[in-house]
């Protein structure tokens, strides 16, 4: 992989990182005690005037935000790992075989850590 390819994929990863961070901000906030962690934000609820249905809806919304947040946070971690691999010169190399990852695989998933041969069926993003 040449330097132009690496810059191209770095730009794609940086763009995805920005999108993920914006999406995360819609359902959560950065943990003030750990800036690498996100927390789902609970919906505002007027507990004095809320009925059982409103409370149930608020709890359901929080649980939904938590599930979305976990998926987005996991993908953000994959993007960070890919950006780190660019920094240390290992981007585009299969984590299992050490062979180059196919360009079309990186186009589909710039954060891929393995070549097509080593795609984990349990986690296709690897």
């Amino acid at each position: 992989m040449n330097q132009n390819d690496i810059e191209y994929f770095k730009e794609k990863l940086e763009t995805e990182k920005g999108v993920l961070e914006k999406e995360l901000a819609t359902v959560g906030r950065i943990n003030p005690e750990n800036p690498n962690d996100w927390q789902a934000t609970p919906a505002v609820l007027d507990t004095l005037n809320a009925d059982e249905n409103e409370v149930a809806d608020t709890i359901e919304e929080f649980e939904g935000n938590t599930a979305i947040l976990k998926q987005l946070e996991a993908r953000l971690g994959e993007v960070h790992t890919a950006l780190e691999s660019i920094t240390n010169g290992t981007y585009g190399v299969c984590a299992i075989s050490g062979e180059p990852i196919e360009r079309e695989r990186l186009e589909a998933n710039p954060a891929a850590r393995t070549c097509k041969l080593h795609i984990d069926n349990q986690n296709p993003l690897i």
Side-chain angles (χ1 to χ4, degrees):
M1 184 171 301
N2 65 41
Q3 191 60 35
N4 287 338
D5 291 337
I6 291 172
E7 288 300 319
Y8 168 77
F9 286 112
K10 181 178 182 180
E11 187 176 314
K12 285 184 76 140
L13 288 162
E14 290 287 353
T15 299
E16 184 176 359
K17 177 183 168 194
V19 169
L20 288 167
E21 288 173 342
K22 284 180 184 176
E23 289 180 17
L24 278 162
T26 66
V27 294
R29 63 175 179 239
I30 294 177
N31 180 345
E33 295 175 13
N34 179 359
N36 295 321
D37 184 36
W38 286 79
Q39 299 172 326
T41 51
V44 177
L45 178 66
D46 179 6
T47 54
L48 296 176
N49 298 320
D51 68 7
E52 290 178 13
N53 291 329
E54 286 180 271
V55 172
D57 288 345
T58 301
I59 291 169
E60 187 176 338
E61 180 181 344
F62 179 74
E63 289 173 347
N65 285 351
T66 300
I68 293 167
L69 186 131
K70 285 182 181 186
Q71 289 178 333
L72 293 172
E73 192 173 21
R75 180 62 184 174
L76 183 60
E78 292 167 357
V79 169
H80 278 281
T81 299
L83 289 167
E84 288 172 14
S85 72
I86 288 173
T87 301
N88 56 18
T90 59
Y91 182 76
V93 177
C94 178
I96 296 173
S97 69
E99 296 295 319
I101 298 172
E102 301 84 356
R103 183 176 181 89
E104 61 270 11
R105 175 137 166 79
L106 292 173
E107 286 286 350
N109 177 14
R113 296 186 302 126
T114 62
C115 64
K116 289 179 185 178
L117 182 64
H118 295 107
I119 293 174
D120 180 356
N121 291 331
Q122 299 302 313
N123 186 358
L125 295 178
I126 290 181

